[in-house]
Amino acid sequence: MDIIQLLSDSIANQIAAGEVVQRPASVVKELMENAIDAHAKHIQLIIKEAGKTLIQVIDDGSGMSNTDARMCFERHATSKIRESGDLFAIKTMGFRGEALASIAAVAQVELKTKCAEDELATSIRIEGSEFKSQDFVQGPTGTNFIVKNLFFNVPARRNFLKSNPVEMKHIIEEFQRVALAHPEIKFSLYHNDIEIYNLPESKLSKRIIDTLDKNYRDQLATCQEDTPLIKISGYVGKPQLAAKRRGDQYFFVNHRFIKSSYLNHAVTSAFEATIAQGTHPFYVIFMEIDPSHIDINIHPTKTEIKFDDEKAIYAILRSAVKQAIGVYNLTPTIDFESDINFGNITPPPALKSTKFDFNTSSSISNFESRPKFEKDPLQTDNRDNWQKVFEGLPNRRDHETEDSENQQVIFGSKANKLAETSRLPIDGKEINAIQIHQRYILTQVKSGIMLIDQLYAHERIFYEKYLKEINTQPGVSQQLLFPKTVTLSPIDYEVSFEIIDMIRMIGFNVEEFGQNTYLINGVPIEYMDEDEAVAFKGIIEQYRINENQKDTKEALSKTLAKRAANKSQKTLNKEEISNLINKLFETSMPSINPEGKSTMKILDLSQIGALISN
Ligand code: ADP
Ligand code: MG
């Protein structure tokens, strides 16, 4: 019996949309790039509800004919390449012809467009790949794209969207990248009718301070290098601008924003000792290279590219940056009105007041909330003991160490315990406890009070979680929007083979990517809010410090636990405190951290009395 059928276009488009349209910001990126490719001089972005209800891009570019307006929603429909050879000479942002088909598959789309030759504009409505109408209307040359109710027909995806601040942060990031890449184009951005950006056409230096932070004004050093292989231009921040948080770092290759840990390494290493360890230099660097030397086709969202001569580019870039920071002292502050390409060093006129005061680096970073402590239980074996503690520890002495000074409570191994969930009266209940100085938890137990060291308790919890994941039960991996490459030193790369399978087990979705490099596709949830490549590197480096331990699984779990616990040193709400205590007592050894340090101490009433009256 034959059972194979071709998928309908609308299903095929919806599947493709899964890759192209991850969130509102992906739509913003595709529509803005299309406007750039249409040679627009002015691009307006209008957003409502962080793009969940409306994403509108209006451009004054070439526009489309009546037929093209219909055609552009077909899959694999593009005006940008015709034959396979064109793939090696791509000068446009788009070329796959997938974006509009994908967007129209998962949203309600209205397109109004007119090209210069035509009298009338075309207006098309399409919803979930279904054409609703096509009319001739009055309108200016250019294109007006309205995307409403993204994922209206894919509730699972819609529910998966993050809070408005988080989605808006992603949109602003995309907007900033496009705006930085094209200072010659006028851009504006409105969110819920409020103007967020209004960027006039300007020089790159002015575009940088308008877009990112006006405090960068006196901090930029010109970076420039011309070689037959590659032309480099742009700005690096003077060393004192380097920040703890990895913030504004931009590479553009042929005006396309890309991410590259390899090239980032070239820049950072050029700064050498001029910046403190663990700080990150600011840069906006443009590279112009013959498209035949790069492959932008390796990733659907196109933020990773491959150079055919990566090493040469590394060297050229590094030397360009070195020169830039070497001479910045001699160069007067950049003239924001002059063209960067002339390397003009005339003394600066007073900076024209920048209209826009949106201090992105501080306000946006606060948007994203940290991931909540995971709720799924680890193991239930120790809950009986837990209750005993809170009822006054009747059996405590059975398990106690001889060191009564220390009052350390060692609980029996999980093998001795019955995991009877029905006997877990504490489950889900809030525990009366307070947090002290983001480090200790104080709670009442029947015999007196218990003090818990938050850091060590987290270390114990994470340690057992990772150990369990490595041994039996793979951890959950959170897919990254843009996979990241991480290049290790040759030694670290070697070492990584010892533990890479285990790292995968805890939720890092990584693949080998040649030349000491891994491609990170996903990370464990605890690692979502940090730079994935840095975290991955940090794990390998830290593991090498613990390397001579006999049991690799234990060593790695300790490493991971320490990192995760460190990040948990923060103010906890009531629920998180309860969670912490619950989870601690679910571990096999709640009273000590993985290195044997006490996680808690119980003071009974007589001890408290003695403490006070002494
Ligand atoms: P791609 O950009 O990869 O070609 P898209 O699906 O994004 O694929 O767009 C399909 C085609 O629609 C483009 O090749 C272009 O010809 C046309 N198009 C899309 N957006 C615009 C626009 N803003 N102005 C003019 N033409 C556009
Ligand atoms: Mg496109």
Side-chain angles (χ1 to χ4, degrees):
M1 197 178 53
D2 302 331
I3 51 171
I4 300 177
Q5 295 185 337
L6 277 179
L7 294 176
S8 75
D9 277 355
S10 74
I11 297 182
N13 286 336
Q14 213 170 325
I15 292 171
E19 234 183 299
V20 181
V21 187
Q22 317 256 0
R23 54 180 5 142
S26 335
V27 175
V28 167
K29 173 175 191 276
E30 295 297 339
L31 295 185
M32 289 184 78
E33 289 188 350
N34 279 347
I36 305 258
D37 285 344
H39 307 290
K41 289 275 131 243
H42 182 194
I43 300 174
Q44 290 168 268
L45 174 60
I46 300 165
I47 300 291
K48 294 222 162 112
E49 301 286 322
K52 291 172 184 172
T53 53
L54 177 79
I55 299 163
Q56 182 172 16
V57 174
I58 305 171
D59 72 53
D60 60 353
S62 63
M64 285 180 262
S65 71
N66 189 261
T67 320
D68 281 354
R70 178 94 182 208
M71 211 25 207
C72 73
F73 291 107
E74 296 297 324
R75 204 137 63 95
H76 310 307
T78 181
S79 56
K80 298 169 195 175
I81 55 173
R82 300 206 172 259
E83 51 196 42
S84 72
D86 294 345
L87 276 176
F88 305 99
I90 285 171
K91 294 220 164 71
T92 51
M93 305 304 291
F95 59 89
R96 289 166 181 259
E98 312 185 293
L100 296 182
S102 300
I103 292 167
V106 293
Q108 298 163 333
V109 175
E110 281 175 56
L111 161 65
K112 257 189 230 160
T113 186
K114 184 182 98 64
C115 54
E117 305 84 71
D118 288 348
E119 273 293 302
L120 287 172
T122 303
S123 162
I124 288 185
R125 283 197 314 117
I126 174 170
E127 296 182 2
S129 297
E130 219 177 282
F131 277 94
K132 296 285 181 189
S133 65
Q134 178 159 4
D135 303 295
F136 286 107
V137 294
Q138 294 288 338
T141 296
T143 301
N144 182 345
F145 247 106
I146 300 176
V147 176
K148 284 184 185 156
N149 303 321
L150 185 64
F151 299 133
F152 78 101
N153 53 350
V154 203
R157 297 291 301 277
R158 193 164 174 94
N159 295 337
F160 187 71
L161 293 177
K162 298 266 166 60
S163 67
N164 286 1
V166 173
E167 294 300 342
M168 196 57 205
K169 179 192 149 197
H170 286 288
I171 288 176
I172 292 173
E173 275 171 4
E174 290 297 351
F175 178 91
Q176 288 176 332
R177 289 167 185 172
V178 178
L180 284 172
H182 298 279
E184 77 285 359
I185 298 175
K186 224 169 110 178
F187 288 96
S188 57
L189 166 57
Y190 288 81
H191 185 210
N192 296 336
D193 299 322
I194 294 166
E195 180 183 292
I196 296 193
Y197 276 117
N198 192 350
L199 304 170
E201 173 196 347
S202 57
K203 303 289 175 253
L204 175 61
S205 50
K206 177 147 178 1
R207 178 56 60 91
I208 290 173
I209 59 168
D210 284 355
T211 309
L212 298 176
D213 189 337
K214 67 181 169 51
N215 295 321
Y216 289 166
R217 192 167 47 200
D218 312 316
Q219 302 293 335
L220 304 178
T222 310
C223 179
Q224 197 150 18
E225 187 72 71
D226 254 321
T227 72
L229 174 64
I230 191 166
K231 185 172 168 245
I232 291 173
S233 62
Y235 294 96
V236 297
K238 293 176 183 175
Q240 61 268 34
L241 197 62
K244 268 257 166 3
R245 193 177 60 86
R246 184 174 299 244
D248 293 318
Q249 301 188 322
Y250 299 87
F251 286 124
F252 297 96
V253 173
N254 297 348
H255 296 272
R256 182 191 302 280
F257 172 79
I258 62 143
K259 294 186 175 177
S260 167
S261 351
Y262 185 66
L263 296 183
N264 176 60
H265 189 271
V267 175
T268 310
S269 74
F271 274 82
E272 276 174 351
T274 63
I275 57 171
Q277 275 272 321
T279 60
H280 307 284
F282 165 84
Y283 56 81
V284 177
I285 292 176
F286 286 76
M287 288 169 265
E288 304 278 345
I289 187 166
D290 186 316
S292 65
H293 290 300
I294 54 175
D295 180 3
I296 49 182
N297 208 5
I298 56 169
H299 192 271
T301 47
K302 295 162 291 191
T303 48
E304 306 282 345
I305 68 167
K306 262 202 129 25
F307 298 92
D308 61 6
D309 194 352
E310 212 174 36
K311 287 216 175 93
I313 288 165
Y314 184 102
I316 296 165
L317 180 60
R318 187 163 186 270
S319 105
V321 174
K322 265 190 138 138
Q323 229 185 343
I325 51 181
V327 298
Y328 79 85
N329 278 330
L330 312 173
T331 322
T333 304
I334 289 157
D335 172 2
F336 285 89
E337 302 302 319
S338 76
D339 196 303
I340 170 186
N341 295 326
F342 299 150
N344 199 333
I345 53 164
T346 49
L351 187 79
K352 297 254 165 68
S353 71
T354 39
K355 276 191 214 114
F356 184 65
D357 235 29
F358 191 69
N359 184 341
T360 49
S361 46
S362 61
S363 50
I364 292 177
S365 62
N366 293 332
F367 278 2
E368 198 143 19
S369 57
R370 294 173 141 262
K372 282 256 164 63
F373 201 90
E374 265 185 289
K375 287 214 175 77
D376 56 317
L378 289 169
Q379 51 198 56
T380 49
D381 315 48
N382 250 303
R383 294 203 176 189
D384 311 273
N385 291 316
W386 188 95
Q387 229 211 338
K388 286 171 198 156
V389 172
F390 282 80
E391 281 175 356
L393 296 166
N395 297 331
R396 207 178 85 218
R397 304 231 155 253
D398 300 349
H399 304 297
E400 231 177 24
T401 51
E402 287 316 300
D403 182 4
S404 61
E405 277 290 67
N406 202 10
Q407 288 279 321
Q408 201 178 56
V409 189
I410 300 277
F411 291 95
S413 83
K414 58 179 179 177
N416 302 331
K417 304 298 162 202
L418 292 169
E420 260 178 56
T421 28
S422 58
R423 288 207 285 127
L424 302 174
I426 44 88
D427 195 22
K429 265 204 203 141
E430 209 163 74
I431 298 161
N432 220 348
I434 58 164
Q435 187 186 28
I436 303 163
H437 288 277
Q438 293 193 345
R439 174 75 200 248
Y440 301 103
I441 309 289
L442 172 65
T443 185
Q444 182 177 321
V445 294
K446 199 159 183 196
S447 65
I449 56 168
M450 178 165 66
L451 279 162
I452 297 176
D453 186 311
Q454 187 183 325
L455 178 68
Y456 293 158
H458 269 131
E459 283 181 7
R460 163 57 62 186
I461 294 165
F462 282 121
Y463 173 70
E464 295 202 3
K465 171 181 175 337
Y466 290 131
L467 203 56
K468 182 172 168 195
E469 287 173 353
I470 288 171
N471 280 316
T472 53
Q473 191 183 319
V476 179
S477 180
Q478 198 80 17
Q479 221 42 34
L480 297 184
L481 184 54
F482 305 116
K484 273 206 172 154
T485 54
V486 53
T487 302
L488 305 175
S489 72
I491 297 175
D492 283 356
Y493 192 62
E494 277 308 310
V495 170
S496 73
F497 290 117
E498 285 175 30
I499 51 171
I500 196 68
D501 287 339
M502 294 186 258
I503 290 184
R504 289 191 173 117
M505 286 291 274
I506 62 140
F508 274 93
N509 175 349
V510 292
E511 53 192 278
E512 281 159 46
F513 207 57
Q515 289 195 329
N516 302 336
T517 301
Y518 282 101
L519 185 68
I520 307 178
N521 296 308
V523 295
I525 193 134
E526 303 91 344
Y527 287 84
M528 273 311 278
D529 63 341
E530 60 178 308
D531 186 297
E532 301 80 9
V534 172
F536 182 81
K537 263 191 185 160
I539 290 168
I540 310 265
E541 281 159 14
Q542 186 63 41
Y543 170 76
R544 284 187 62 197
I545 298 171
N546 300 345
E547 205 175 11
N548 47 8
Q549 300 209 14
K550 274 171 250 111
D551 187 330
T552 24
K553 287 180 181 172
E554 278 180 17
L556 178 64
S557 301
K558 269 184 206 171
T559 301
L560 295 165
K562 271 194 178 304
R563 283 186 70 87
N566 255 322
K567 289 203 301 160
S568 308
Q569 285 299 87
K570 54 172 178 163
T571 307
L572 303 179
N573 63 28
K574 263 185 156 348
E575 194 194 346
E576 289 167 327
I577 294 174
S578 299
N579 228 325
L580 173 70
I581 298 175
N582 268 317
K583 289 194 158 207
L584 178 63
F585 284 95
E586 285 161 10
T587 63
S588 63
M589 286 197 213
S591 59
I592 49 171
N593 83 343
E595 275 148 352
K597 291 183 190 140
S598 294
T599 57
M600 65 179 79
K601 185 165 176 114
I602 290 172
L603 293 176
D604 58 35
L605 293 175
S606 60
Q607 285 174 305
I608 297 172
L611 264 178
I612 293 170
S613 53
N614 252 351

